[in-house]
């Protein structure tokens, strides 16, 4: 009895496990394809153009914008800038269909292409963003 | 979405067939496995429902693959119970089922209560303190079981602190390496990791030491992207290995058994020889559940469960298991790539590499590719502490994958 049941079931069990593996891989493949397309659409990042020597951010660093991010001096920001001219929660970058930046009532303000912003401002490639003594470029 | 449901249904099917098969392997037909089967399926369905409803953005494969591995494990443990103990109650399978339930509960609790990862990134000294005190505790109040002094026994309950320490070491390394780092910070992590590994070697828990080392190297490399550290680490590893070979007797014995197990086949090498016989007798398709003799391997339910599976499901079944682990680790690393901040990224890398090294060390050990070190196969082996740790890590990984 055991002999027949186990011998038959062994093949069935292994077959189903491989079906599961196959389905998982297929799902991953679909998922990967979608992800790849999404990434091509918006592949923006912030590059540090100018920063003083004495803080934790160095010139040339690149921060990818994968999601909405916050910039500030507190440690739970996405980009932490240890600079006295930067407020605790200084600015927020919002990723919707386009990319926007918003000043979070910071003391020294956020500048886009030299102009101080006071409301949600759309940014695009090539824009310069100044926060405290740091200049970012959208690339 | 549809495909995902299909995967879930196939998992129910395979669980059912596995337990159904178990009903027939004793002389008279036994219905207890069906109770196990039903409770497993209800548990999986319920937790999957909660995940889909409240945390739909996370990586569901992490959960699906792990529960499938757990089911394979419980079935195998049940099967081994039949011959190892008097078969009134499947003692270990029942315990493992309890641990599985507790593990899923912990997974859920992590999802509900865990704060944003970035918020817990600053307590690095707390983490290393917990990790080192867990490791140190066994030196004083630990009990030696199976040749390793890495167990703490409180009443009927025994657990392995080194399992939980692994998790805290990952948190520590992630928080130490996620900031801007200089030489001094790296030296600090080297010192702490050295202490952690040192304790493990003193407790004769070589497998865990190997895994700690692997996790450390991977995380350091990911954080600094400097291949120099990997080279230095490997150099230190060979030096340390050589030194411990000459200093510690138990290391020497392990290596001797590894080089020629047949010479010691009646005493020290008995286990590994039996394991090799079991794997060999499985062949390509295996003997079928209940038809082999995996209970001849000592400790088949924890360290050597892979040989038991290889005997009864053959090379094909064992490869399926390895592929499942591969996919699990792949999903973990993918979570790391898409994570939002350095800390979460490093934690995800740490957890994935922990799983990967653990699987490598166990499967390498039982197939005599590397010297055998006692360690559990994640999600499959019998063991409460490792089940808790694995579901804890899985919860954190899921949380990270949610955050993107």
């Amino acid at each position: 009895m055991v002999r027949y049941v186990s011998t038959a079931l062994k093949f069935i069990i292994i077959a189903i496990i491989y079906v599961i593996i196959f389905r998982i891989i297929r799902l991953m493949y679909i998922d990967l394809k979608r992800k790849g397309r999404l990434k091509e659409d918006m592949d923006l990042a912030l590059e540090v153009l100018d920063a003083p020597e004495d803080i934790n951010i160095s010139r040339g660093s690149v921060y990818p914008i994968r999601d909405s991010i916050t910039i500030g001096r507190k440690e739970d920001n996405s980009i932490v800038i240890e600079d006295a001219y930067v407020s605790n929660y200084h600015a927020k970058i919002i990723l919707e269909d386009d990319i926007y930046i918003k000043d979070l009532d910071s003391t020294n303000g956020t500048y886009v292409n030299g102009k101080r912003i006071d409301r949600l401002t759309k940014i695009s490639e090539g824009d310069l963003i100044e926060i405290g003594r740091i200049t970012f470029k959208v690339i | 979405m549809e495909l995902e449901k299909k995967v879930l249904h196939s998992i129910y099917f395979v669980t059912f067939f596995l337990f159904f098969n178990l009903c027939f392997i004793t002389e008279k037909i036994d219905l207890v496995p069906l109770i196990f089967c039903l409770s497993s399926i209800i548990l999986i369905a319920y937790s999957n429902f909660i995940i889909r409803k409240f945390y739909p953005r996370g990586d569901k494969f992490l959960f699906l693959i792990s529960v499938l591995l757990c089911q394979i494990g419980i079935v195998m443990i049940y099967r081994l119970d039949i011959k190892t103990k008097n078969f009134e109650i499947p003692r270990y399978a029942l315990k493992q089922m309890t641990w599985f339930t507790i593990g899923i509960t912990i997974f859920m609790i992590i999802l509900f209560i865990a704060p944003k990862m970035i918020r817990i990134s600053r307590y690095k000294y707390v983490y290393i303190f917990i990790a080192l005190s867990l490791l140190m505790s066994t030196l004083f109040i630990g009990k030696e079981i199976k040749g390793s002094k890495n167990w703490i026994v409180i009443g009927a309950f025994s657990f392995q602190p080194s399992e939980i320490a692994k998790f805290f070491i990952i948190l520590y390394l992630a928080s130490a390496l996620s900031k801007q780092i200089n030489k001094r910070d790296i030296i600090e992590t080297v010192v702490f990791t050295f202490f952690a590994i040192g304790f493990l070697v003193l407790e004769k828990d070589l497998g865990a030491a190997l895994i700690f080392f692997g996790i450390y190297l991977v995380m350091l490399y990911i954080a600094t992207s400097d291949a120099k550290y990997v080279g230095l680490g490997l150099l230190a590893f060979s030096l340390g290995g050589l030194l411990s070979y000459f200093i510690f007797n138990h290391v020497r014995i392990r290596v001797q058994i590894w080089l020629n197990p047949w010479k010691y086949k009646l005493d020290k090498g008995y286990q590994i020889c039996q394991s090799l016989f079991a794997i060999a007798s499985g062949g390509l398709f295996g003997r079928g559940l209940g038809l082999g003799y995996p209970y001849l391997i000592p400790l088949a339910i924890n360290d050597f469960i892979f040989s038991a599976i290889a005997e009864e499901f053959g090379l094909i079944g064992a490869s399926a298991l390895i592929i499942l682990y591969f996919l699990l680790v792949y999903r973990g690393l993918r979570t790391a790539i898409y994570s939002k901040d350095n800390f979460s990224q490093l934690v995800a890398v740490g957890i994935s590499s922990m799983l990967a090294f653990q699987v490598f060390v166990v499967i390498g050990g039982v197939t005599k590719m590397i010297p055998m070190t006692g360690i559990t196969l994640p999600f499959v082996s019998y063991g409460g502490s490792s089940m808790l740790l694995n579901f804890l890590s899985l919860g954190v990984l899921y949380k990270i994958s949610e955050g993107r």
Side-chain angles (χ1 to χ4, degrees):
Chain A
M1 180 73 171
V2 191
R3 180 136 309 221
Y4 303 118
V5 174
S6 289
T7 313
L9 279 179
K10 153 183 106 184
F11 289 109
I12 296 176
I13 289 167
I14 293 175
I16 303 177
I17 293 183
Y18 274 100
V19 168
I20 294 175
I21 290 174
F22 172 74
R23 282 185 174 153
I24 289 178
I25 291 176
R26 209 172 131 213
L27 260 172
M28 286 179 183
Y29 173 70
I30 294 170
D31 183 58
L32 217 62
K33 251 181 24 191
R34 204 170 42 215
K35 206 80 193 184
R37 220 178 308 128
L38 244 149
K39 265 197 93 90
E40 274 167 33
D41 283 352
M42 38 178 88
D43 203 12
L44 291 181
L46 294 179
E47 187 192 349
V48 179
L49 271 197
D50 192 21
E53 293 290 324
D54 55 336
I55 61 166
N56 66 330
I57 282 186
S58 50
R59 218 167 286 168
S61 310
V62 174
Y63 297 92
I65 308 173
R66 288 187 199 126
D67 203 337
S68 297
I69 53 179
T70 55
I71 303 169
R73 211 172 55 210
K74 273 271 166 81
E75 273 197 21
D76 51 349
N77 284 295
S78 321
I79 300 178
V80 183
I81 305 176
E82 287 162 7
D83 182 9
Y85 293 90
V86 174
S87 302
N88 282 341
Y89 300 99
H90 196 109
K92 189 171 183 183
I93 290 178
I94 298 159
L95 185 67
E96 299 276 329
D97 296 331
D98 291 307
I99 297 176
Y100 302 92
I101 188 164
K102 188 184 174 196
D103 188 72
L104 302 173
D105 291 328
S106 62
T107 321
N108 294 315
T110 303
Y111 296 80
V112 174
N113 295 331
K115 259 191 237 139
R116 186 166 180 160
I117 57 169
D118 51 3
R119 69 173 87 94
L120 209 61
T121 308
K122 191 176 154 184
I123 50 174
S124 50
E125 212 173 319
D127 285 349
L128 294 178
I129 300 171
E130 284 167 63
I131 289 173
R133 293 182 290 167
I134 292 110
T135 310
F136 291 103
K137 187 180 184 188
V138 184
I139 53 169
Chain B
M1 228 10 97
E2 265 321 290
L3 258 165
E4 206 177 284
K5 269 211 169 114
K6 275 190 184 161
V7 172
L8 195 65
H9 292 164
S10 322
I11 290 179
Y12 296 151
F13 270 123
V14 86
T15 309
F16 172 72
F17 280 123
L18 280 165
F19 280 105
F20 181 68
N21 198 347
L22 272 183
C23 297
F24 293 95
I25 62 173
T26 43
E27 274 89 65
K28 55 177 194 290
I29 290 174
D30 171 25
L31 293 178
V32 183
L34 291 183
I35 304 173
F36 272 71
C37 174
L38 202 66
S39 36
S40 277
I41 288 181
I42 290 174
L43 199 61
I44 296 171
Y46 180 67
S47 42
N48 193 63
F49 172 75
I50 300 267
I51 290 176
R52 281 174 73 108
K53 194 155 168 63
F54 296 104
Y55 303 96
R57 265 150 54 95
D59 189 340
K60 271 153 231 107
F61 295 111
L62 291 171
F63 181 74
L64 292 177
I65 297 172
S66 323
V67 293
L68 176 59
L69 289 169
C70 284
Q71 295 315 309
I72 297 175
I74 295 173
V75 167
M76 230 37 227
I77 291 165
Y78 194 109
R79 185 254 170 282
L80 290 162
D81 256 349
I82 291 172
K83 280 286 155 54
T84 44
K85 287 275 168 283
N86 58 326
F87 183 65
E88 283 306 310
I89 30 163
R91 213 174 112 231
Y92 289 112
L94 201 61
K95 270 194 174 173
Q96 180 77 348
M97 191 72 208
T98 318
W99 287 120
F100 174 59
T101 315
I102 296 175
I104 294 237
T105 317
I106 287 191
F107 177 78
M108 294 294 173
I109 291 174
I110 293 282
L111 290 190
F112 279 120
I113 63 159
K116 273 220 158 121
M117 287 306 286
I118 189 80
R119 286 232 212 102
I120 60 165
S121 69
R122 62 180 86 148
Y123 309 110
K124 65 174 179 178
Y125 292 113
V126 178
Y127 300 139
I128 192 67
F129 177 74
I130 297 174
L132 285 181
S133 33
L134 277 170
L135 289 172
M136 232 187 310
S137 63
T138 51
L139 276 183
F140 300 113
I141 54 170
K143 202 177 160 200
E144 193 160 322
I145 301 180
K146 300 167 208 151
S148 294
K149 198 177 175 183
N150 55 359
W151 290 82
I152 288 186
V153 180
I154 307 163
F157 182 76
S158 60
F159 88 113
Q160 253 179 316
S162 63
E163 294 280 349
I164 311 297
K166 246 180 256 171
F167 181 70
F168 284 101
I169 286 273
I170 290 173
L171 284 185
Y172 160 72
L173 287 174
S175 61
L177 296 171
S178 62
K179 304 274 143 50
Q180 289 282 325
I181 44 174
N182 52 33
K183 280 268 173 343
R184 221 193 113 258
D185 297 316
I186 290 177
I187 289 169
E188 191 184 290
T189 62
V190 168
V191 170
F192 280 129
T193 317
F194 177 78
F195 272 112
I197 294 176
F199 284 132
L200 287 170
V201 174
L202 286 181
E203 291 156 15
K204 304 183 193 169
D205 193 351
L206 299 175
L210 201 60
I211 286 164
F212 271 51
F213 186 75
I215 294 171
Y216 178 61
L217 269 197
V218 170
M219 289 179 76
L220 190 60
Y221 178 64
I222 296 286
T224 58
S225 39
D226 193 341
K228 185 176 75 202
Y229 293 116
V230 179
L232 275 174
L234 290 179
L235 198 72
F237 173 69
S238 3
L239 263 170
L242 217 60
L243 265 178
S244 53
Y245 179 79
F246 288 113
I247 297 172
F248 300 107
N249 198 27
H250 56 273
V251 179
R252 208 156 37 222
I253 292 171
R254 292 278 167 94
V255 174
Q256 279 163 0
I257 295 172
W258 172 58
L259 288 174
N260 188 3
W262 312 110
K263 202 170 139 194
Y264 310 96
K265 65 173 179 286
L266 291 176
D267 43 57
K268 287 176 286 190
Y270 180 70
Q271 209 175 17
I272 187 80
C273 289
Q274 286 299 333
S275 154
L276 291 177
F277 283 137
I279 295 170
S281 65
L284 188 58
F285 291 106
R287 286 168 182 255
L289 196 63
L291 301 178
Y293 309 95
Y295 47 83
L296 292 177
I297 316 165
L299 282 186
I301 57 167
N302 24 29
D303 299 1
F304 283 84
I305 199 153
F306 183 77
S307 322
I309 292 170
E311 175 168 6
E312 305 221 304
F313 290 101
L315 176 66
I316 305 224
S319 319
L321 199 69
I322 297 176
I323 297 174
L324 286 174
Y325 279 118
F326 173 78
L327 292 176
L328 189 64
V329 171
Y330 162 73
R331 291 313 280 191
L333 289 176
R334 183 180 171 283
T335 301
I337 291 173
Y338 290 113
S339 62
K340 261 199 291 186
D341 53 275
N342 282 344
F343 178 69
S344 325
Q345 183 168 36
L346 281 170
V347 172
V349 166
I351 291 173
S352 320
S353 58
M354 174 182 81
L355 288 172
F357 278 112
Q358 215 154 313
V359 172
F360 173 72
V361 169
V362 183
I363 296 183
V366 300
T367 54
K368 205 180 84 71
M369 192 182 148
I370 57 172
M372 180 60 201
T373 46
I375 212 156
T376 55
L377 198 57
F379 297 111
V380 177
S381 286
Y382 171 77
S385 332
S386 81
M387 202 67 149
L388 295 192
L389 164 84
N390 290 326
F391 272 104
L392 181 70
S393 322
L394 197 73
V396 173
L397 212 52
Y398 193 88
K399 194 84 196 169
I400 294 171
S401 72
E402 261 251 301
R404 63 169 184 268

